[in-house]
Amino acid sequence: MYTTQMDAARKGIVTKEMEIVAKKEQMNVLDLLELVAKGTVIVPANKNHKNLDPEGIGKGMKTKINVNLGISKDCPNIEAELEKVQVALDMKVEAIMDLSSYGKTEEFRQRVIAMSPAMIGTVPVYDAIGFYDKELSEIKSEEFLDVVEKHAQDGVDFVTIHAGINKETAEVFKRNSRLTNIVSRGGALMYAWMELNNKENPFFEHYDKLLDICEKYDLTLSLGDACRPGSINDSTDASQIKELMILGELTKRAWERNVQVMIEGPGHMAINEIEANMVIEKKLCHGAPFYVLGPLVTDVAPGYDHITSAIGGAIAASHGADFLCYVTPAEHLRLPNLEDMKEGIIASKIAAHAGDIAKNVKGAKEWDYEMSKARQQLDWERMFELAIDPAKARRYREESMPEHSDSCTMCGKMCSMRNMNKVMEGKSVNILRED
């Protein structure tokens, strides 16, 4: 018997989840077993998530993407959010995080888990205020842990826990001023709770109890970056690095209990800092998988932050990031609608695939080879089939059909593919006359 995927791997037991992941990643399952045992790959799989189609996150795996959804006080429509969930699943995302913070959060979470073969993550601290109907300062330490266990019972596969913003990290933050302070919602809530109660972060103080819950349900810890930079001005500063050092220590403690861990990362960051940040994280956190929000490479593009995020995400993935949290055009502005979500998913998928090409992930370049082959053959149906967004590609062509089907309305009979195919076959090329 085993308690977690990591425990099984260390005992030499190949689980059904590992078999599925190995097949998806085109790798030997015994090689995967070794990576899971070391903690450099995780297979988030809560024992209570019965319809899960598992994925691997980490070294040598395809870069995965996560979609954030959930109800809020200003937008509490459960059915509208569930429609987004279904569309996200149809678009083959690997993970969905339910960030609900108001209203019938339990109902929404349970319905999402029941319908989702994708991994489900949550941030339990968001749910605590509504769960207890108490102001933040009135919530007791043990109550935060009780919310985590409730989410685990429901079948959540991973939880973001801001355990690294302890008193030690908080003192570093106070001594080193920032332009945007703490922008992590969960991190800000935990920092505020600590200040209001003059107490240690409950998740840090009672970390062993948290690990008990994780071990019981095989709940993966996503160690949150409370001090992630919210502007390029604040990136790679003392607070961020101090917290990362604490997360590295917490990672080793989790591994001692066979609890799977990934580390969350920045945030906003200039392009030239991304590579170094990936190296630092992997070094300080002992090769644990890295989950990044973006990074957004500029602060001045509201309405287009899916693009600023995709630029940073591609660079991060190429240098070792394993998991990208999508960013939508609505970031910093409002709750994303269905179309925002779709744009965010596509942008993140492009970034993840670009990173996989650079990392030589098995099968990545072959996809591009097949697309180029279809273009050379002017095989439009095959191009649509291979496209990241087939519907959009097909719609664009149908909106502007050429006179000659073996070209498009950009080049017409001057199409380089068309003319090179003819020349290579020894045929004449007629631009002004019919063939």
Side-chain angles (χ1 to χ4, degrees), residues 266-291:
H268 293 235
M269 181 167 290
I271 283 177
N272 59 301
E273 294 182 32
I274 294 175
E275 180 180 359
N277 268 262
M278 301 305 107
V279 173
I280 291 169
E281 184 279 337
K282 292 287 184 176
K283 185 72 173 179
L284 292 179
C285 296
H286 320 294
F290 201 16
Y291 174 27

Side-chain angles (χ1 to χ4, degrees), residues 136-379:
L136 178 65
S137 62
E138 298 170 356
I139 299 174
K140 296 180 171 56
S141 294
E142 60 271 19
E143 290 177 326
F144 283 113
L145 292 169
D146 290 342
V147 175
V148 175
E149 179 143 27
K150 180 65 179 72
H151 285 215
Q153 288 173 346
D154 288 342
V156 167
D157 300 295
F158 64 95
V159 285
T160 292
I161 300 293
H162 298 90
I165 181 69
N166 60 3
K167 283 190 172 182
E168 193 176 340
T169 307
E171 287 304 313
V172 172
F173 166 72
K174 291 174 185 178
R175 293 197 303 268
N176 296 271
S177 63
R178 280 180 147 194
L179 178 62
T180 52
N181 295 313
I182 294 176
V183 300
S184 159
R185 191 186 346 174
L189 289 171
M190 293 315 303
Y191 178 82
W193 186 92
M194 292 164 61
E195 291 293 296
L196 292 168
N197 290 283
N198 193 28
K199 289 184 177 180
E200 180 59 278
N201 180 336
F203 293 124
F204 181 81
E205 183 177 9
H206 304 292
Y207 192 64
D208 286 328
K209 292 182 179 178
L210 176 65
L211 295 179
D212 289 339
I213 297 169
C214 294
E215 188 177 22
K216 181 178 178 181
Y217 298 93
D218 198 358
L219 178 67
T220 297
L221 273 180
S222 186
L223 291 174
D225 51 340
C227 295
R228 71 169 183 261
S231 65
I232 59 173
N233 183 82
D234 296 339
S235 61
T236 324
D237 70 350
S239 299
Q240 179 191 335
I241 300 304
K242 176 61 181 179
E243 182 181 33
L244 198 57
M245 293 168 66
I246 299 295
L247 298 184
E249 295 171 0
L250 294 177
T251 296
K252 292 178 75 172
R253 286 176 60 185
W255 285 349
E256 289 170 2
R257 296 284 301 277
N258 295 314
V259 171
Q260 299 185 103
V261 175
M262 60 181 160
I263 307 298
E264 297 187 13
H268 293 235
M269 181 167 290
I271 283 177
N272 59 301
E273 294 182 32
I274 294 175
E275 180 180 359
N277 268 262
M278 301 305 107
V279 173
I280 291 169
E281 184 279 337
K282 292 287 184 176
K283 185 72 173 179
L284 292 179
C285 296
H286 320 294
F290 201 16
Y291 174 27
V292 297
L293 179 64
L296 283 73
V297 295
T298 178
D299 302 332
V300 299
Y304 298 91
D305 277 328
H306 60 311
I307 297 174
T308 63
S309 170
I311 294 168
I315 295 169
S318 73
H319 291 293
D322 307 290
F323 194 21
L324 305 182
C325 186
Y326 93 149
V327 172
T328 77
E331 186 79 6
H332 304 109
L333 301 171
R334 60 166 168 78
L335 190 77
N337 62 25
L338 186 60
E339 290 306 311
D340 296 328
M341 183 195 75
K342 290 179 182 178
E343 289 192 49
I345 289 172
I346 295 301
S348 294
K349 280 179 171 282
I350 294 168
H353 181 60
D356 288 348
I357 292 171
K359 287 188 289 193
N360 287 313
V361 170
K362 189 172 289 187
K365 290 181 180 178
E366 286 77 3
W367 185 7
D368 291 73
Y369 177 86
E370 289 299 319
M371 176 61 88
S372 296
K373 182 178 176 182
R375 284 180 174 149
Q376 184 273 322
Q377 295 174 345
L378 296 168
D379 185 344

